[in-house]
Amino acid sequence: MGRQFFVGGNFKMNGTIKSITSIIEYLNNAKLDEKTEVVIAPPSLYLLLAREHLREGIEVAAQNIFDKPNGAFTGELSAEQIRDSGIGWVLAGHSERRVILGEDDKFVASKTKAALDSGLSVILCVGETLEQREADRTIEVVTHQLQAVANAIDDWSKIVIAYEPVWAIGTGKVATTAQAQEVHAAIRHWLSSKVSSEAAAATRILYGGSVSEKNCRELAKQEDIDGFLVGGASLKPAFVDIINSHL
């Protein structure tokens, strides 16, 4: 059985009650590919709003999670709180948190483990900077990020990997189809050699980085690209076209 196509929408620090309600209404009324799994990640203030109003079949993700149980951690969200709110997914390892907030591979792995231990599913983000790509270190960097997680967990069945080249996020630049497929294939090879052949066959690997309605269909045709993690375009009507890119 093939891997189910997956499209995630990361709203980042964007939106208001009015605009996110409008996005939700648009998604609720849109004709979406029934074979594609759809998850949106609004800012934490709007997680409950999204969960309450989204139609059945569209899931919600928290953009962040802390790796400790409830306690004196001002500003953080625990796995228990996320699960208690009816949220089934979390993002971990997004480059904006790695680069801007200094989250290292070990911390990302710890957050991933905390989510999985609580029964949550994880969109695990990996990717290289432009400097690392130009130094021909892309595969080394990405697999090092993945190995940190592998050192902390055993079960990959509730993880979706999102490959997001840092230099392509929000820049309008996008990896070529060949570049994206090459890294996705390398990730699948790493899963096969370091985790298991079963994990390699079953784990969905998404592409992210200036995904749009213009480039999504060609990317979706690639053997090892199982969907997308969409940033800015998830705030626009074009998000529906990306969700339907596998039709």
Short mmCIF file of all heavy atoms in Angstrom, two decimals, residues 131-176:
data_model
loop_
_atom_site.label_atom_id
_atom_site.label_comp_id
_atom_site.label_asym_id
_atom_site.label_seq_id
_atom_site.Cartn_x
_atom_site.Cartn_y
_atom_site.Cartn_z
N GLU A 131 24.95 28.10 2.79
CA GLU A 131 26.39 27.87 2.97
C GLU A 131 26.70 26.37 3.02
O GLU A 131 27.67 25.90 2.40
CB GLU A 131 26.86 28.54 4.26
CG GLU A 131 28.36 28.39 4.53
CD GLU A 131 28.77 29.04 5.83
OE1 GLU A 131 27.90 29.30 6.69
OE2 GLU A 131 29.99 29.29 6.00
N GLN A 132 25.88 25.62 3.72
CA GLN A 132 26.08 24.17 3.81
C GLN A 132 25.85 23.49 2.47
O GLN A 132 26.59 22.57 2.09
CB GLN A 132 25.16 23.58 4.88
CG GLN A 132 25.56 23.99 6.29
CD GLN A 132 24.47 23.75 7.32
OE1 GLN A 132 23.29 23.68 6.98
NE2 GLN A 132 24.85 23.64 8.59
N ARG A 133 24.86 23.94 1.71
CA ARG A 133 24.63 23.36 0.39
C ARG A 133 25.81 23.65 -0.54
O ARG A 133 26.26 22.77 -1.28
CB ARG A 133 23.32 23.89 -0.22
CG ARG A 133 23.13 23.47 -1.67
CD ARG A 133 21.74 23.64 -2.18
NE ARG A 133 20.87 22.54 -1.77
CZ ARG A 133 20.81 21.35 -2.39
NH1 ARG A 133 21.58 21.10 -3.43
NH2 ARG A 133 19.99 20.42 -1.97
N GLU A 134 26.29 24.87 -0.52
CA GLU A 134 27.40 25.24 -1.41
C GLU A 134 28.68 24.52 -1.05
O GLU A 134 29.57 24.34 -1.88
CB GLU A 134 27.60 26.75 -1.39
CG GLU A 134 26.44 27.51 -2.07
CD GLU A 134 26.61 29.02 -2.02
OE1 GLU A 134 27.39 29.50 -1.18
OE2 GLU A 134 25.95 29.70 -2.83
N ALA A 135 28.76 24.07 0.23
CA ALA A 135 29.92 23.29 0.66
C ALA A 135 29.70 21.80 0.44
O ALA A 135 30.50 20.97 0.89
CB ALA A 135 30.21 23.56 2.14
N ASP A 136 28.60 21.45 -0.24
CA ASP A 136 28.26 20.06 -0.56
C ASP A 136 28.07 19.22 0.71
O ASP A 136 28.46 18.06 0.77
CB ASP A 136 29.34 19.44 -1.45
CG ASP A 136 28.83 18.19 -2.18
OD1 ASP A 136 27.60 18.10 -2.40
OD2 ASP A 136 29.64 17.31 -2.50
N ARG A 137 27.42 19.84 1.72
CA ARG A 137 27.23 19.17 3.00
C ARG A 137 25.75 18.87 3.27
O ARG A 137 25.39 18.50 4.39
CB ARG A 137 27.79 20.02 4.14
CG ARG A 137 29.30 20.22 4.11
CD ARG A 137 29.77 20.99 5.33
NE ARG A 137 29.35 20.33 6.56
CZ ARG A 137 28.90 20.99 7.65
NH1 ARG A 137 28.81 22.31 7.63
NH2 ARG A 137 28.54 20.32 8.72
N THR A 138 24.89 19.01 2.26
CA THR A 138 23.46 18.87 2.48
C THR A 138 23.09 17.54 3.14
O THR A 138 22.42 17.51 4.18
CB THR A 138 22.70 19.01 1.15
OG1 THR A 138 22.88 20.34 0.64
CG2 THR A 138 21.21 18.76 1.34
N ILE A 139 23.51 16.45 2.56
CA ILE A 139 23.14 15.12 3.08
C ILE A 139 23.72 14.91 4.47
O ILE A 139 23.06 14.38 5.38
CB ILE A 139 23.58 14.00 2.12
CG1 ILE A 139 23.06 14.27 0.70
CG2 ILE A 139 23.11 12.65 2.64
CD1 ILE A 139 21.56 14.46 0.60
N GLU A 140 24.95 15.35 4.67
CA GLU A 140 25.60 15.23 5.99
C GLU A 140 24.79 15.96 7.06
O GLU A 140 24.54 15.42 8.14
CB GLU A 140 27.01 15.82 5.91
CG GLU A 140 27.72 15.92 7.26
CD GLU A 140 28.93 16.83 7.20
OE1 GLU A 140 29.43 17.13 6.10
OE2 GLU A 140 29.39 17.25 8.29
N VAL A 141 24.38 17.18 6.75
CA VAL A 141 23.65 18.00 7.73
C VAL A 141 22.28 17.39 8.03
O VAL A 141 21.89 17.24 9.19
CB VAL A 141 23.48 19.45 7.20
CG1 VAL A 141 22.50 20.24 8.07
CG2 VAL A 141 24.84 20.14 7.16
N VAL A 142 21.57 17.02 6.99
CA VAL A 142 20.21 16.50 7.16
C VAL A 142 20.23 15.17 7.92
O VAL A 142 19.41 14.96 8.83
CB VAL A 142 19.52 16.35 5.79
CG1 VAL A 142 18.24 15.54 5.90
CG2 VAL A 142 19.23 17.73 5.19
N THR A 143 21.14 14.29 7.57
CA THR A 143 21.18 13.00 8.26
C THR A 143 21.67 13.14 9.70
O THR A 143 21.27 12.37 10.58
CB THR A 143 22.04 11.98 7.50
OG1 THR A 143 23.35 12.52 7.28
CG2 THR A 143 21.40 11.63 6.17
N HIS A 144 22.52 14.13 9.97
CA HIS A 144 22.94 14.40 11.35
C HIS A 144 21.74 14.84 12.18
O HIS A 144 21.58 14.42 13.35
CB HIS A 144 24.03 15.46 11.38
CG HIS A 144 24.66 15.66 12.73
ND1 HIS A 144 24.13 16.52 13.67
CD2 HIS A 144 25.76 15.10 13.30
CE1 HIS A 144 24.88 16.49 14.76
NE2 HIS A 144 25.87 15.63 14.56
N GLN A 145 20.89 15.69 11.61
CA GLN A 145 19.68 16.12 12.31
C GLN A 145 18.76 14.94 12.59
O GLN A 145 18.17 14.82 13.67
CB GLN A 145 18.96 17.19 11.48
CG GLN A 145 19.73 18.50 11.37
CD GLN A 145 19.16 19.45 10.33
OE1 GLN A 145 18.40 19.04 9.44
NE2 GLN A 145 19.53 20.72 10.42
N LEU A 146 18.64 14.05 11.62
CA LEU A 146 17.79 12.86 11.78
C LEU A 146 18.39 11.89 12.80
O LEU A 146 17.66 11.29 13.59
CB LEU A 146 17.61 12.17 10.44
CG LEU A 146 16.75 12.90 9.41
CD1 LEU A 146 16.89 12.24 8.05
CD2 LEU A 146 15.29 12.95 9.84
N GLN A 147 19.71 11.75 12.79
CA GLN A 147 20.35 10.80 13.71
C GLN A 147 20.14 11.20 15.16
O GLN A 147 19.98 10.34 16.03
CB GLN A 147 21.85 10.70 13.41
CG GLN A 147 22.57 9.62 14.21
CD GLN A 147 22.02 8.23 13.92
OE1 GLN A 147 21.95 7.82 12.77
NE2 GLN A 147 21.64 7.50 14.96
N ALA A 148 20.11 12.51 15.42
CA ALA A 148 19.85 12.97 16.79
C ALA A 148 18.49 12.47 17.28
O ALA A 148 18.34 12.07 18.44
CB ALA A 148 19.91 14.50 16.84
N VAL A 149 17.51 12.47 16.39
CA VAL A 149 16.18 11.96 16.75
C VAL A 149 16.23 10.45 16.91
O VAL A 149 15.65 9.89 17.85
CB VAL A 149 15.13 12.38 15.69
CG1 VAL A 149 13.77 11.77 16.01
CG2 VAL A 149 15.03 13.91 15.64
N ALA A 150 16.92 9.79 16.00
CA ALA A 150 17.03 8.33 16.08
C ALA A 150 17.69 7.87 17.38
O ALA A 150 17.39 6.79 17.88
CB ALA A 150 17.80 7.80 14.88
N ASN A 151 18.57 8.71 17.91
CA ASN A 151 19.23 8.37 19.18
C ASN A 151 18.26 8.45 20.36
O ASN A 151 18.54 7.90 21.43
CB ASN A 151 20.40 9.33 19.44
CG ASN A 151 21.54 9.12 18.46
OD1 ASN A 151 21.64 8.07 17.83
ND2 ASN A 151 22.41 10.11 18.33
N ALA A 152 17.14 9.15 20.17
CA ALA A 152 16.20 9.38 21.27
C ALA A 152 14.95 8.54 21.19
O ALA A 152 14.25 8.35 22.20
CB ALA A 152 15.82 10.87 21.32
N ILE A 153 14.62 8.01 20.00
CA ILE A 153 13.37 7.28 19.83
C ILE A 153 13.61 5.97 19.07
O ILE A 153 14.65 5.80 18.43
CB ILE A 153 12.31 8.12 19.07
CG1 ILE A 153 12.74 8.31 17.61
CG2 ILE A 153 12.07 9.46 19.76
CD1 ILE A 153 11.64 8.74 16.69
N ASP A 154 12.63 5.10 19.13
CA ASP A 154 12.70 3.84 18.39
C ASP A 154 11.62 3.71 17.33
O ASP A 154 11.84 3.09 16.29
CB ASP A 154 12.58 2.65 19.36
CG ASP A 154 13.74 2.58 20.33
OD1 ASP A 154 14.89 2.74 19.89
OD2 ASP A 154 13.50 2.38 21.54
N ASP A 155 10.47 4.31 17.59
CA ASP A 155 9.31 4.13 16.71
C ASP A 155 9.10 5.38 15.85
O ASP A 155 8.87 6.47 16.37
CB ASP A 155 8.06 3.88 17.58
CG ASP A 155 6.82 3.60 16.75
OD1 ASP A 155 6.93 3.53 15.50
OD2 ASP A 155 5.73 3.45 17.34
N TRP A 156 9.18 5.20 14.53
CA TRP A 156 9.02 6.32 13.60
C TRP A 156 7.62 6.35 12.96
O TRP A 156 7.38 7.13 12.05
CB TRP A 156 10.09 6.22 12.50
CG TRP A 156 11.45 6.58 13.00
CD1 TRP A 156 12.22 5.86 13.85
CD2 TRP A 156 12.19 7.78 12.71
NE1 TRP A 156 13.41 6.52 14.10
CE2 TRP A 156 13.42 7.70 13.42
CE3 TRP A 156 11.94 8.91 11.91
CZ2 TRP A 156 14.38 8.70 13.35
CZ3 TRP A 156 12.90 9.90 11.85
CH2 TRP A 156 14.10 9.80 12.56
N SER A 157 6.72 5.53 13.44
CA SER A 157 5.42 5.38 12.77
C SER A 157 4.54 6.62 12.86
O SER A 157 3.61 6.78 12.06
CB SER A 157 4.67 4.16 13.32
OG SER A 157 4.36 4.34 14.69
N LYS A 158 4.82 7.50 13.83
CA LYS A 158 4.00 8.71 13.98
C LYS A 158 4.80 9.97 13.63
O LYS A 158 4.47 11.07 14.05
CB LYS A 158 3.44 8.81 15.40
CG LYS A 158 2.55 7.62 15.77
CD LYS A 158 1.78 7.85 17.05
CE LYS A 158 0.59 8.75 16.81
NZ LYS A 158 -0.32 8.82 17.98
N ILE A 159 5.84 9.78 12.82
CA ILE A 159 6.65 10.91 12.36
C ILE A 159 6.50 11.08 10.86
O ILE A 159 6.56 10.13 10.09
CB ILE A 159 8.14 10.69 12.70
CG1 ILE A 159 8.36 10.78 14.22
CG2 ILE A 159 9.01 11.73 11.99
CD1 ILE A 159 9.81 10.57 14.63
N VAL A 160 6.29 12.31 10.46
CA VAL A 160 6.39 12.72 9.05
C VAL A 160 7.60 13.63 8.97
O VAL A 160 7.73 14.58 9.76
CB VAL A 160 5.11 13.46 8.60
CG1 VAL A 160 5.30 14.06 7.22
CG2 VAL A 160 3.92 12.53 8.63
N ILE A 161 8.51 13.36 8.07
CA ILE A 161 9.71 14.19 7.91
C ILE A 161 9.44 15.27 6.86
O ILE A 161 8.88 14.98 5.80
CB ILE A 161 10.91 13.33 7.48
CG1 ILE A 161 11.25 12.29 8.54
CG2 ILE A 161 12.14 14.21 7.19
CD1 ILE A 161 12.27 11.25 8.09
N ALA A 162 9.83 16.49 7.18
CA ALA A 162 9.71 17.59 6.21
C ALA A 162 11.10 18.12 5.89
O ALA A 162 11.79 18.66 6.77
CB ALA A 162 8.84 18.71 6.77
N TYR A 163 11.54 17.92 4.65
CA TYR A 163 12.81 18.48 4.20
C TYR A 163 12.57 19.90 3.70
O TYR A 163 11.83 20.11 2.73
CB TYR A 163 13.43 17.63 3.09
CG TYR A 163 14.56 18.35 2.40
CD1 TYR A 163 15.69 18.76 3.11
CD2 TYR A 163 14.50 18.66 1.04
CE1 TYR A 163 16.72 19.46 2.49
CE2 TYR A 163 15.53 19.33 0.41
CZ TYR A 163 16.64 19.74 1.14
OH TYR A 163 17.66 20.43 0.52
N GLU A 164 13.19 20.85 4.39
CA GLU A 164 13.02 22.26 4.05
C GLU A 164 14.39 22.93 3.94
O GLU A 164 14.99 23.29 4.96
CB GLU A 164 12.19 22.99 5.10
CG GLU A 164 10.78 22.48 5.25
CD GLU A 164 9.91 23.47 6.02
OE1 GLU A 164 10.20 23.72 7.18
OE2 GLU A 164 8.94 23.97 5.43
N PRO A 165 14.92 23.07 2.74
CA PRO A 165 16.19 23.79 2.60
C PRO A 165 16.02 25.22 3.11
O PRO A 165 15.14 25.95 2.65
CB PRO A 165 16.46 23.75 1.09
CG PRO A 165 15.14 23.42 0.45
CD PRO A 165 14.36 22.64 1.45
N VAL A 166 16.85 25.59 4.09
CA VAL A 166 16.68 26.88 4.76
C VAL A 166 16.72 28.03 3.77
O VAL A 166 15.97 29.01 3.88
CB VAL A 166 17.76 27.05 5.85
CG1 VAL A 166 17.63 28.41 6.53
CG2 VAL A 166 17.65 25.93 6.87
N TRP A 167 17.55 27.91 2.75
CA TRP A 167 17.72 28.98 1.78
C TRP A 167 16.50 29.17 0.88
O TRP A 167 16.40 30.17 0.17
CB TRP A 167 18.96 28.70 0.91
CG TRP A 167 19.02 27.31 0.35
CD1 TRP A 167 19.58 26.22 0.95
CD2 TRP A 167 18.49 26.85 -0.89
NE1 TRP A 167 19.44 25.10 0.16
CE2 TRP A 167 18.77 25.45 -0.98
CE3 TRP A 167 17.81 27.47 -1.94
CZ2 TRP A 167 18.40 24.69 -2.06
CZ3 TRP A 167 17.44 26.70 -3.03
CH2 TRP A 167 17.73 25.33 -3.09
N ALA A 168 15.56 28.23 0.93
CA ALA A 168 14.37 28.32 0.08
C ALA A 168 13.12 28.71 0.85
O ALA A 168 12.06 28.88 0.26
CB ALA A 168 14.14 26.99 -0.62
N ILE A 169 13.23 28.88 2.17
CA ILE A 169 12.04 29.17 2.98
C ILE A 169 11.74 30.65 2.94
O ILE A 169 12.53 31.48 3.40
CB ILE A 169 12.24 28.70 4.44
CG1 ILE A 169 12.45 27.18 4.49
CG2 ILE A 169 11.05 29.10 5.30
CD1 ILE A 169 12.78 26.66 5.86
N GLY A 170 10.60 31.00 2.37
CA GLY A 170 10.15 32.39 2.35
C GLY A 170 10.95 33.29 1.45
O GLY A 170 10.79 34.51 1.47
N THR A 171 11.81 32.73 0.62
CA THR A 171 12.67 33.54 -0.23
C THR A 171 12.17 33.63 -1.66
O THR A 171 12.65 34.46 -2.44
CB THR A 171 14.10 32.95 -0.27
OG1 THR A 171 14.03 31.64 -0.85
CG2 THR A 171 14.69 32.86 1.12
N GLY A 172 11.22 32.77 -2.00
CA GLY A 172 10.77 32.69 -3.38
C GLY A 172 11.62 31.73 -4.19
O GLY A 172 11.26 31.33 -5.29
N LYS A 173 12.78 31.35 -3.63
CA LYS A 173 13.62 30.34 -4.27
C LYS A 173 13.06 28.97 -3.93
O LYS A 173 12.51 28.76 -2.87
CB LYS A 173 15.06 30.45 -3.79
CG LYS A 173 15.74 31.76 -4.12
CD LYS A 173 17.16 31.77 -3.57
CE LYS A 173 17.86 33.09 -3.89
NZ LYS A 173 19.24 33.13 -3.33
N VAL A 174 13.24 28.04 -4.82
CA VAL A 174 12.78 26.68 -4.56
C VAL A 174 13.82 25.72 -5.12
O VAL A 174 14.46 26.01 -6.14
CB VAL A 174 11.40 26.43 -5.22
CG1 VAL A 174 11.48 26.56 -6.73
CG2 VAL A 174 10.83 25.09 -4.81
N ALA A 175 14.06 24.64 -4.39
CA ALA A 175 14.97 23.63 -4.91
C ALA A 175 14.41 23.11 -6.23
O ALA A 175 13.20 23.02 -6.41
CB ALA A 175 15.11 22.49 -3.90
N THR A 176 15.29 22.79 -7.15
CA THR A 176 14.81 22.18 -8.39
C THR A 176 14.19 20.83 -8.04
O THR A 176 14.45 20.25 -6.98
CB THR A 176 15.95 21.98 -9.39
OG1 THR A 176 16.87 21.01 -8.85
CG2 THR A 176 16.69 23.29 -9.66
#
